[in-house]
């Protein structure tokens, strides 16, 4: 059986735009003469930090495909950009909801740094009575993602174990931590971290507020406490809070994600009544993949046990600036180390939109979304304050994509390099034995 050629990242640069076009034409002529082995050698030539400012990147599996797309200047696959070295870099950590069996299986197989970091997390979690490897990588998961139709219909509580709150939060934290450490090993240094819901804990750990063992223990405690609460759900509404307020029927605002995107929390009964009232008012809604009424008064019974859990572990000043979803502003050191802040974080509505406004005020950023798919990036794209030249990148495909993990990572590495963010080496050359 003939092996399928793996995707590779092709980069080129020039001092001027006309020079880049000439370099592209010369490269196409060179590609015409290459076989697969020669193409592998070519794509292994990493440009390094002294590359010229005009940059072009392409992810391709072979010389013929690469030449065809480059000659056609295929805008869907060929990225051209003028690199800037003054860009801030923000890392966004997603909340639960979009995880799936087999998450990051391609990275686990091909990136030793990612595998080592994830194994470290999974080993620590076993100390808390959680064996999450078969949850994350059940038999057959590494062979490819198969759509979970029940999950697609937002009935995740009744489908794969990875959607159970007690398991979903530690799984997502572990994958996000491993992703962050992998990109740091590539030479990336974020200037800001912003986490959505449980993603804020992952961001705080990466910032140094909590050690990894303590952070994992806190996530396990948080997830177990939530799992014991009465069930509930969440509803996204395409309207501002002011327009929604008259139609609430027992629900509360759980998140303000944008000027026209509000998330509500409540019981099944109150969500149904509120959804009907909003529909009658002409406001579109969509149920969210949630088993509980997160970031609402329904979480109040676990506040004191959470505060005690956070008070029991060491806490340090963040070494990387953190944005807070509780305040929608930069998180001061005294709050980042306050157990009461983290107890309240699961109850208070998420002020994600306000946090984005603070982020945009620091300049046009390069954003790296840590987690599956583009859930947070879609929120950013709908934000009217998003700088026109901001660069949004991701780290993993979504549950219903067929794009391999390797391709997503290479595309992101290419976008980062084209934007002016220099990596120390290609992603799949980290560590020994990378494939």
């Amino acid at each position: 059986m003939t092996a399928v050629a793996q995707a590779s990242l092709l980069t080129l640069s020039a001092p001027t735009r006309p020079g880049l076009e000439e370099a592209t034409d010369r490269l196409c002529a060179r590609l015409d003469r290459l076989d697969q082995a020669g193409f592998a050698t070519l794509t292994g030539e990493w440009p390094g930090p002294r590359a010229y400012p005009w940059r072009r990147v392409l992810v391709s599996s072979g010389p013929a495909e690469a030449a065809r797309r480059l000659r056609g200047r295929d805008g869907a696959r060929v990225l051209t950009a003028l690199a800037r070295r003054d860009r801030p870099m923000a890392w966004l950590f997603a909340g639960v909801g979009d995880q799936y069996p087999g998450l990051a299986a391609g990275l686990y197989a091909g990136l030793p740094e990612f595998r080592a970091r994830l194994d470290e997390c999974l080993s620590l979690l076993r100390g808390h009575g959680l064996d999450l490897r078969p949850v994350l990588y059940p038999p057959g998961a590494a062979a490819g993602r198969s759509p979970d139709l029940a999950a697609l219909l937002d009935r995740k509580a009744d489908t794969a174990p990875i959607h159970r709150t007690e398991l979903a939060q530690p799984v997502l934290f572990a994958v996000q931590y491993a992703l962050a450490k992998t990109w740091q090993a590539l030479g990336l240094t974020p200037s800001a971290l912003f986490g959505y819901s449980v993603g804020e804990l992952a961001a705080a750990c990466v910032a140094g507020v909590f050690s990894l063992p303590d952070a994992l223990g806190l996530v396990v405690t948080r997830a177990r406490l939530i799992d014991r609460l009465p069930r509930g759900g969440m509803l996204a509404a395409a309207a501002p809070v002011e327009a929604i307020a008259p139609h609430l029927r027992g629900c509360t605002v759980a998140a303000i994600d944008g000027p026209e995107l509000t998330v509500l929390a409540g019981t099944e009964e109150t969500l149904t009544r509120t959804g009907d009232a909003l529909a009658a008012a002409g406001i579109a809604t969509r149920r969210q993949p949630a088993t509980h009424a997160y970031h609402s008064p329904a979480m109040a019974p676990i506040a004191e046990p959470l505060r005690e859990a956070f008070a029991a572990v060491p806490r340090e000043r963040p070494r990387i600036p953190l944005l807070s979803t509780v305040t929608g502003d930069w998180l001061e050191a005294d709050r980042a180390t306050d157990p009461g802040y983290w107890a309240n974080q699961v109850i208070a509505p998420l002020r994600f939109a306000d946090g984005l406004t603070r982020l945009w005020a620091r300049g046009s950023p390069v954003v790296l979304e840590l987690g599956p798919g583009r859930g947070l990036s879609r929120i950013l794209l709908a934000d009217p304050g998003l700088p026109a030249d901001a660069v949004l990148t991701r780290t993993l495909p979504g549950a219903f994509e067929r794009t391999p993990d390797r391709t997503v990572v290479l595309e992101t590495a290419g976008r980062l390099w084209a934007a002016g963010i220099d990596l120390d080496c290609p992603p799949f050359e980290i560590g020994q034995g990378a494939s």
Side-chain angles (χ1 to χ4, degrees):
M1 181 180 295
T2 303
V4 177
Q6 287 189 318
S8 297
L9 176 62
L10 191 62
T11 64
L12 65 160
S13 68
T16 65
R17 179 62 183 263
L20 183 66
E21 301 306 332
E22 293 174 7
T24 301
D25 293 336
R26 290 195 302 270
L27 178 59
C28 290
R30 182 181 176 186
L31 287 167
D32 290 337
R33 300 189 298 270
L34 291 181
D35 58 12
Q36 198 65 38
F39 182 71
T41 300
L42 175 66
T43 56
E45 298 173 0
W46 189 244
R50 295 184 181 179
Y52 293 116
W54 278 99
R55 300 180 179 185
R56 180 164 282 161
V57 296
L58 167 69
V59 174
S60 179
S61 58
E65 177 195 32
R68 183 178 69 255
R69 294 193 183 282
L70 285 171
R71 280 199 175 92
R73 306 304 196 258
D74 183 349
R77 299 291 297 275
V78 177
L79 174 65
T80 303
L82 180 60
R84 284 174 40 194
R85 298 186 184 277
D86 60 340
R87 288 181 177 273
M89 169 170 270
W91 289 7
L92 270 55
F93 296 75
V96 296
D98 294 324
Q99 68 282 351
Y100 51 84
L103 182 64
L107 303 189
Y108 189 84
L111 280 176
E113 178 71 21
F114 179 84
R115 181 165 59 249
R117 296 295 188 166
L118 185 57
D119 281 345
E120 181 183 11
C121 291
L122 296 179
S123 177
L124 289 168
L125 287 167
R126 281 196 296 273
H128 294 279
L130 290 178
D131 183 7
L132 295 183
R133 188 179 301 278
V135 174
L136 184 56
Y137 300 129
R145 295 180 297 280
S146 56
D148 181 344
L149 296 181
L152 185 61
L153 296 172
D154 291 340
R155 296 199 298 269
K156 293 190 174 182
D158 303 319
T159 59
I162 199 170
H163 299 304
R164 286 173 44 199
T165 297
E166 183 181 7
L167 307 180
Q169 293 189 15
V171 160
L172 185 67
F173 178 100
V175 170
Q176 289 182 323
Y177 177 85
L179 285 169
K181 291 301 177 180
T182 300
W183 286 100
Q184 284 181 328
L186 282 164
L188 298 190
T189 303
S191 56
L193 305 174
F194 194 14
Y196 195 99
S197 192
V198 72
E200 190 168 346
L201 269 172
C205 178
V206 172
V209 177
F210 309 106
S211 70
L212 177 61
D214 288 340
L216 283 167
L218 292 169
V219 171
V220 170
T221 298
R222 183 183 190 270
R224 285 174 172 167
L225 288 170
I226 292 173
D227 209 37
R228 295 170 191 157
L229 291 172
R231 296 297 201 208
M234 307 185 81
L235 182 76
V241 173
E242 297 76 16
I244 291 170
H247 308 290
L248 296 178
R249 301 293 185 268
C251 290
T252 58
V253 174
I256 302 173
D257 289 343
E260 298 289 331
L261 182 56
T262 306
V263 181
L264 308 175
T267 64
E268 287 296 323
E269 180 183 359
T270 59
L271 287 170
T272 298
R273 291 205 309 264
T274 300
D276 290 344
L278 290 171
I283 297 174
T285 63
R286 185 181 186 278
R287 287 296 298 269
Q288 299 294 90
T291 57
H292 292 80
Y294 301 106
H295 301 286
S296 78
M299 300 285 109
I302 69 171
E304 183 54 26
L306 267 183
R307 191 199 65 77
E308 293 174 357
F310 279 93
V313 304
R315 303 168 305 281
E316 303 291 341
R317 297 171 61 93
R319 295 190 294 268
I320 303 172
L322 284 165
L323 279 161
S324 163
T325 54
V326 176
T327 66
D329 207 338
W330 297 101
L331 186 60
E332 301 96 344
D334 59 344
R335 285 200 177 188
T337 55
D338 178 9
Y341 172 85
W342 294 103
N344 186 49
Q345 192 260 358
V346 75
I347 303 169
L350 299 174
R351 297 176 61 180
F352 191 70
D354 288 342
L356 293 179
T357 299
R358 299 298 185 276
L359 184 60
W360 308 149
R362 288 199 168 186
S364 181
V366 174
V367 177
L368 183 68
E369 180 172 350
L370 295 163
R374 297 186 175 95
L376 294 182
S377 294
R378 284 192 288 269
I379 295 176
L380 268 61
L381 287 170
D383 190 299
L386 177 70
D389 56 346
V391 177
L392 307 184
T393 60
R394 58 179 182 152
T395 51
L396 288 168
F400 306 107
E401 292 184 63
R402 295 190 178 274
T403 309
D405 293 355
R406 177 187 176 93
T407 300
V408 169
V409 167
L410 290 176
E411 288 175 346
T412 292
R415 288 183 64 83
L416 293 172
W417 177 78
I421 306 294
D422 291 313
L423 283 69
D424 291 342
C425 63
F428 286 88
E429 289 187 6
I430 299 178
Q432 299 299 316
S435 62

